[in-house]
């Protein structure tokens, strides 16, 4: 059984998302411990990206704050190494394709020119950034990877490497997925991330999509846990979504607390997560 | 791996929410591109409304001044709305209408694509919203007014660096919000498949005409075709029908900004490396961790950290070459062409003119080059005056 499946064994799962390095990597590490104590079952660690096209304003701003703080992928890897000395709570990275694809560029710059036969020099590399990233993520004890800008059609180049190193590459389904859901579910691993609403991440007063039908389609195809995200902020919404699925994912509402309280955010986030987990 | 590849570049790196929309677009496009009625309707719009075919003009004074190859200007600046952008926009908005969409959204850098989209939307009775970096709304205030005049709503984008890349990101976000009735009129040969192919096909009319016109005038193909490159739509349009003619040199002119050895540059091929962004695999300006670089150019239309995937592939294969032109060189060329030929080029197109000034003197007099003059420069006059230390109020 993968570590991710363990997250769904303790009743409905509560899955908080944290932007790494907002306000600092030390605080992020403390937030992970606090989240676990408050009842979180799986933690999504967001690696900031300069241009997060699937995010709403709250997480965009957190990405910007983290990058302004000079947070890097290597710094986040070190933080995870430190976390893994203290807890084995299931954790997945959430970031954008380029952060993975371009990882570790500088280290291989020296040996990356090759002739193509056209008399024209093109850079090629022995180990791709994708492989370097995923191998390292697996080595330091991460359990999965979510890339919101990699749909089913493009997942192979990431999924194959994830399987090689024992990481779950998480598939997303959306309200517009319709007949694609069966195909996506058939190839899914870890859990299925069910996007509850159209648009980008962010708090919504109402979730109108037919999440129940989406999840039914997944379950008909494959016995895999489904967690619902995008737009959930209140305990009532979380309870409602969890009733239809195996868990609730909350990002913007938590990131907003981090933005509001800065380095003093820890007790507030902990309190919030405790209330949310209790509601499930 | 998805379809829509150009060598190792291209693809569809977009949120699942948008996948059905791009698949639907691909199906519709594959149908209509072979539909004689659609093609006839589009040709009629291009000819009667946009003013095609655009002229291929022999720049005699410039030719004499530089003393090398004969120089022709492909006058895309004479199109309705003043740039090549209208070619793509008429095609896409007509396609959107056939697909039953009632609303179009678009990103814009210099404002040319936004104005063209607002124009086509007005013509075809569609709702239109344009996303433009806040910085660019200031640099190109007149175009903001034009778009509003044409009935479009203009949103100033404040996220990121407030330039073209952020406008693209914001338009993508808006598309995920409302995809059922909305078509995203992407302005360059970039983004997820099928956009790079659709935009290239609609812009390929440029090279189709150049080929006919130069054969009529000179009885032979040109030795080189030059075009400026941001995302690269005017360049791919000017190159496309020459790709198989290996004797024709294809030269894309990127914006070096303050120089390719500075951080203030937008020259993607010169300073970028392979990456994944805005739906495609291609070359991007980025840091060692894959964070997209905040690029800079005096030209809002070239101020973009990536390049279309077909250009990336032409570069990989050595079929096209890409050169970098600084702000200074582009501004000099802007003034040069104005005085030499009485043609004020867009500052974007001035990058191609600048490279011609370097290239032509080393060529023989029996050789021929074509510069794709992608747009007119009226929109840039105030900014260039400021660059020269003169304050003009529009």
């Amino acid at each position: 059984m993968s570590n991710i499946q363990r997250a769904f064994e303790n009743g409905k799962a509560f899955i908080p998302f944290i932007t790494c390095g907002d306000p600092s990597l030390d605080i992020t590490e403390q937030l992970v411990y606090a989240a676990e104590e408050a009842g979180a079952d799986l933690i999504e660690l967001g690696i900031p990206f300069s241009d997060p096209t699937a995010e709403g304003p709250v997480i965009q701003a957190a990405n910007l704050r983290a990058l302004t703080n000079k947070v890097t992928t290597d710094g986040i890897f070190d933080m995870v190494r430190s976390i893994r000395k203290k807890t084995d709570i299931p954790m997945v990275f959430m970031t954008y394709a380029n952060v993975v694809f371009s990882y570790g560029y500088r280290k291989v710059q020296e040996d990356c020119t090759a002739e193509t036969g056209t008399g024209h020099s093109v850079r090629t590399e022995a180990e791709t950034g994708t492989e370097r990233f995923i191998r390292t993520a697996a080595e330091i004890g991460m359990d999965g990877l979510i890339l919101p800008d990699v749909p089913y059609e493009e997942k192979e180049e990431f999924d194959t490497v994830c399987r090689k190193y024992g990481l779950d590459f998480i598939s997303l389904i959306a309200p517009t997925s319709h007949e694609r859901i069966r195909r996506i579910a058939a190839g899914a691993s870890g859990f299925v991330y069910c996007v509850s609403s159209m648009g980008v991440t962010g708090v919504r007063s109402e979730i109108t999509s037919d999440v129940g039908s989406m999840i039914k389609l997944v379950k008909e195809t494959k016995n895999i846990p489904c967690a619902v995200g995008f737009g959930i902020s209140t305990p009532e919404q979380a309870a409602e979504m969890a009733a239809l699925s195996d868990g609730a994912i909350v990002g913007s509402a938590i990131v907003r607390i981090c933005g509001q309280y800065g380095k003093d955010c820890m007790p507030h986030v902990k309190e919030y997560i405790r209330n949310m987990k209790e509601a499930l | 791996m998805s379809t829509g590849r150009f060598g190792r570049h291209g693809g569809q790196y977009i949120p699942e929410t948008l996948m059905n929309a791009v698949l639907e677009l691909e199906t519709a496009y594959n149908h209509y591109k072979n539909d004689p009625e659609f093609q006839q309707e589009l040709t009629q719009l291009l000819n009667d409304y946009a003013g095609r075919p655009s002229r291929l003009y022999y720049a005699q004074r410039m030719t004499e001044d530089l003393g090398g190859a004969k120089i022709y200007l492909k006058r895309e600046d004479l199109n309705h709305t003043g740039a090549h952008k209208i070619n793509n926009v008429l095609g896409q908005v007509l396609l959107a209408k056939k697909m039953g969409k009632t609303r179009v959204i678009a990103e814009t850098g210099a404002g040319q694509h936004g104005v063209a989209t607002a124009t086509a939307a007005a013509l075809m009775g569609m709702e239109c919203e344009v996303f433009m970096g806040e910085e660019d709304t200031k640099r190109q205030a007149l175009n903001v007014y034009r778009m509003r005049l044409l009935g479009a709503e203009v949103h100033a984008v404040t996220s990121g660096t407030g330039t073209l890349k952020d406008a693209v990101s914001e338009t993508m976000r808006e598309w995920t919000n409302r995809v059922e009735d909305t078509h995203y009129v992407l302005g360059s040969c970039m983004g997820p498949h099928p956009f790079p192919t659709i935009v290239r096909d609609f812009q390929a009319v440029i090279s189709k005409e150049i080929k006919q016109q130069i054969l009529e005038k000179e009885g032979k193909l040109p030795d080189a075709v030059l075009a400026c490159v941001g995302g690269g739509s005017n360049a791919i349009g000017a190159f496309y029908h020459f790709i198989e003619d290996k004797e024709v040199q294809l030269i894309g002119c990127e914006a070096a900004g303050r120089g390719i050895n500075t951080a203030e540059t937008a020259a993607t091929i010169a300073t970028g490396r392979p990456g994944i962004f805005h739906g495609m695999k291609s070359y991007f300006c980025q840091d060692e961790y894959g964070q997209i670089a905040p690029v800079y150019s005096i030209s809002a239309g070239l101020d973009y950290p990536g390049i279309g995937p077909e250009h990336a592939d032409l570069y990989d294969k050595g079929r096209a070459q890409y050169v970098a032109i600084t702000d200074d060189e582009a501004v000099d060329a802007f003034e040069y062409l104005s005085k030499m030929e009485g043609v004020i080029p867009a500052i974007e197109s001035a990058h191609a003119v600048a490279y011609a000034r370097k290239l032509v003197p080393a060529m023989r007099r029996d050789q021929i080059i074509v510069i794709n003059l992608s747009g007119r420069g009226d929109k840039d006059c105030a900014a260039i005056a400021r660059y020269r230390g003169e304050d003009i109020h529009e």
Side-chain angles (χ1 to χ4, degrees):
Chain A
M1 189 195 336
S2 80
N3 206 26
I4 286 180
Q5 278 166 298
R6 212 166 52 91
F8 294 91
E9 305 236 298
N10 177 28
K12 303 286 183 180
F14 183 73
I15 305 174
F17 167 92
I18 306 166
T19 300
C20 294
D22 173 36
S24 72
L25 286 178
D26 283 343
I27 303 278
T28 303
E29 184 173 346
Q30 298 310 313
L31 284 173
V32 169
Y33 305 138
E36 184 178 23
E37 281 170 30
D41 298 284
L42 189 160
I43 294 172
E44 273 184 30
L45 291 177
I47 302 181
F49 182 51
S50 52
D51 300 83
T53 48
E55 312 296 350
V58 171
I59 297 180
Q60 280 180 50
N63 277 281
L64 188 64
R65 286 195 295 271
L67 291 173
T68 308
N69 292 343
K70 307 274 183 228
V71 167
T72 66
T73 306
D74 283 328
I76 291 166
F77 285 167
D78 284 341
M79 176 195 74
V80 170
R81 287 183 182 99
S82 173
I83 290 171
R84 277 299 180 234
K85 287 176 188 155
K86 296 188 181 158
T87 170
D88 61 355
I89 184 169
M91 294 197 295
V92 300
F93 277 136
M94 178 152 177
T95 188
Y96 285 77
N98 202 45
V99 170
V100 176
F101 182 78
S102 294
Y103 175 66
Y105 174 73
R106 201 168 57 175
K107 291 171 201 142
V108 293
Q109 243 171 352
E110 299 80 30
D111 54 276
C112 63
T113 47
E115 292 304 314
T116 57
T118 57
H120 190 69
S121 173
V122 173
R123 288 170 286 221
T124 55
E125 296 168 16
E127 187 187 28
T128 63
T130 300
E131 181 138 12
R132 275 193 297 279
F133 181 100
I134 291 170
R135 178 174 49 74
T136 310
E139 279 167 10
I140 63 178
M142 292 301 292
D143 302 299
L145 176 63
I146 306 175
L147 300 176
D149 57 346
V150 175
Y152 177 80
E153 280 73 1
E154 302 293 355
K155 74 174 219 171
E156 197 187 330
E157 67 181 283
F158 299 97
D159 196 26
T160 311
V161 186
C162 280
R163 285 174 196 275
K164 179 174 166 186
Y165 292 102
L167 233 56
D168 283 318
F169 187 76
I170 307 301
S171 297
L172 293 93
I173 58 171
T176 48
S177 297
H178 308 302
E179 71 282 1
R180 295 168 53 79
I181 290 179
R182 286 178 198 278
R183 201 161 13 125
I184 294 169
S189 56
F191 69 95
V192 170
Y193 190 130
C194 178
V195 174
S196 70
S197 312
M198 297 296 288
V200 292
T201 57
V203 171
R204 286 171 177 77
S205 56
E206 216 181 336
I207 293 169
T208 54
S209 305
D210 189 356
V211 172
S213 302
M214 290 164 69
I215 287 169
K216 190 163 163 276
L217 272 174
V218 175
K219 299 282 186 183
E220 279 171 16
T221 312
K222 189 171 189 171
N223 182 22
I224 186 167
C226 294
V228 183
F230 275 48
I232 299 173
S233 63
T234 65
E236 294 74 26
Q237 285 173 322
E240 191 192 335
M241 289 301 128
L244 299 168
S245 67
D246 304 300
I249 304 167
V250 173
S252 294
I254 290 169
V255 171
R256 192 161 60 183
I257 297 172
C258 297
Q260 187 181 348
Y261 294 100
K263 61 181 174 38
D264 303 318
C265 65
M266 211 262 278
H268 301 277
V269 171
K270 193 171 182 175
E271 173 73 10
Y272 177 84
I273 292 176
R274 182 170 286 130
N275 286 335
M276 294 295 276
K277 176 67 183 177
E278 273 170 15
L280 298 185
Chain B
M1 197 182 276
S2 75
T3 48
R5 293 275 162 177
F6 301 93
R8 60 183 172 151
H9 303 286
Q12 295 176 305
Y13 298 87
I14 48 171
E16 171 60 25
T17 310
L18 291 177
M19 274 311 296
N20 259 329
V22 299
L23 294 174
E24 180 197 13
L25 177 63
E26 185 180 2
T27 305
Y29 180 64
N30 285 339
H31 170 74
Y32 285 110
K33 79 174 178 193
N34 298 315
D35 175 23
E37 203 176 314
F38 177 85
Q39 290 300 339
Q40 194 192 344
E41 221 173 311
L42 178 59
T43 303
Q44 193 167 356
L45 283 171
L46 289 172
N47 294 354
D48 298 348
Y49 186 72
R52 301 210 70 86
S54 70
R55 300 294 186 240
L56 187 69
Y57 164 73
Y58 171 46
Q60 191 177 352
R61 291 197 68 217
M62 186 176 170
T63 300
E64 282 165 9
D65 181 62
L66 296 179
K70 250 178 132 169
I71 301 162
Y72 281 90
L73 304 178
K74 178 60 172 166
R75 299 293 306 276
E76 291 297 303
D77 60 315
L78 295 179
N79 295 339
H80 181 43
T81 70
H84 71 291
K85 294 290 186 188
I86 194 79
N87 305 332
N88 165 45
V89 157
L90 287 173
Q92 279 200 49
V93 178
L94 186 62
L95 180 62
K97 196 160 172 124
K98 300 274 182 202
M99 290 172 72
K101 306 284 179 183
T102 55
R103 174 176 176 261
V104 290
I105 54 174
E107 86 293 344
T108 195
Q112 295 306 96
H113 176 60
V115 168
T117 306
T119 300
L123 176 70
M124 298 187 218
M126 309 270 266
E127 253 184 90
C128 178
E129 288 179 42
V130 178
F131 295 80
M132 187 171 185
E134 191 181 38
E135 180 63 29
D136 290 335
T137 61
K138 291 177 194 155
R139 286 198 278 195
Q140 303 286 350
L142 192 57
N143 273 341
V144 174
Y145 178 76
R146 275 197 191 106
M147 288 183 266
R148 293 197 171 124
L149 183 66
L150 291 160
E153 197 178 327
V154 181
H155 302 278
V157 176
T158 53
S159 60
T161 49
T163 59
L164 181 53
K165 83 172 163 83
D166 308 293
V168 173
S169 297
E170 210 53 41
T171 317
M172 282 185 168
R173 290 183 184 116
E174 173 57 26
W175 205 24
T176 62
N177 256 331
R178 197 172 147 186
V179 75
E180 289 295 321
D181 67 345
T182 301
H183 173 69
Y184 177 5
V185 184
L186 234 163
S188 195
C189 53
M190 47 158 284
H193 173 71
F195 283 107
T197 300
I198 291 181
V199 176
R200 179 254 281 152
D201 287 352
F202 287 143
Q203 292 295 358
V205 66
I206 300 173
S207 50
K208 193 178 163 196
E209 289 176 6
I210 294 175
K211 209 167 188 174
Q212 276 172 359
Q213 292 165 323
I214 201 77
L215 286 173
E216 274 166 30
K217 288 175 194 289
E218 296 284 346
K220 60 174 184 176
L221 295 180
D223 294 278
V225 177
L226 278 63
C228 64
V229 180
S233 71
N234 92 80
I236 205 71
F239 293 173
Y240 186 65
H241 288 283
F242 293 109
I243 291 174
E244 298 303 320
D245 303 311
K246 306 285 187 214
E247 69 276 22
V248 181
Q249 247 192 302
L250 306 174
I251 305 171
C253 306
E254 300 191 301
R258 298 207 162 87
I260 56 171
N261 298 318
T262 72
E264 291 172 294
T265 179
T268 306
I269 294 289
T271 68
R273 63 176 207 275
I276 299 171
F277 185 48
H278 280 162
M280 59 182 166
K281 209 176 251 186
S282 188
Y283 287 90
F284 295 97
C285 302
Q286 53 186 312
D287 76 6
E288 60 172 301
Y289 287 104
Q291 306 293 344
I292 302 302
V295 293
Y296 163 81
S297 160
I298 188 171
S299 148
L302 305 182
D303 201 352
Y304 184 71
I307 187 167
E310 193 164 6
H311 284 294
D313 187 46
L314 290 174
Y315 169 73
D316 280 357
K317 288 180 175 141
R319 177 61 192 98
Q321 68 177 107
Y322 295 84
V323 297
I325 297 296
T326 64
D327 282 1
D328 277 344
E329 292 169 326
V331 169
D332 284 349
F334 178 86
E335 294 167 341
Y336 175 84
L337 195 70
S338 302
K339 292 196 171 67
M340 193 58 68
E341 294 288 348
V343 174
I344 304 172
I347 189 64
E348 288 77 18
S349 321
H351 285 71
V353 176
Y355 189 67
R357 295 176 73 193
K358 297 184 188 183
L359 179 71
V360 166
M363 293 176 78
R364 296 189 315 270
R365 284 171 193 273
D366 63 342
Q367 291 184 298
I368 301 165
I369 72 154
V370 177
I371 304 170
N372 193 35
L373 210 72
S374 56
R376 56 188 291 158
D378 307 52
K379 67 180 177 60
D380 300 306
C381 288
I384 302 299
R386 274 198 297 279
Y387 189 82
R388 292 298 193 208
E390 198 177 327
D391 203 13
I392 289 182
H393 297 280
E394 283 169 316

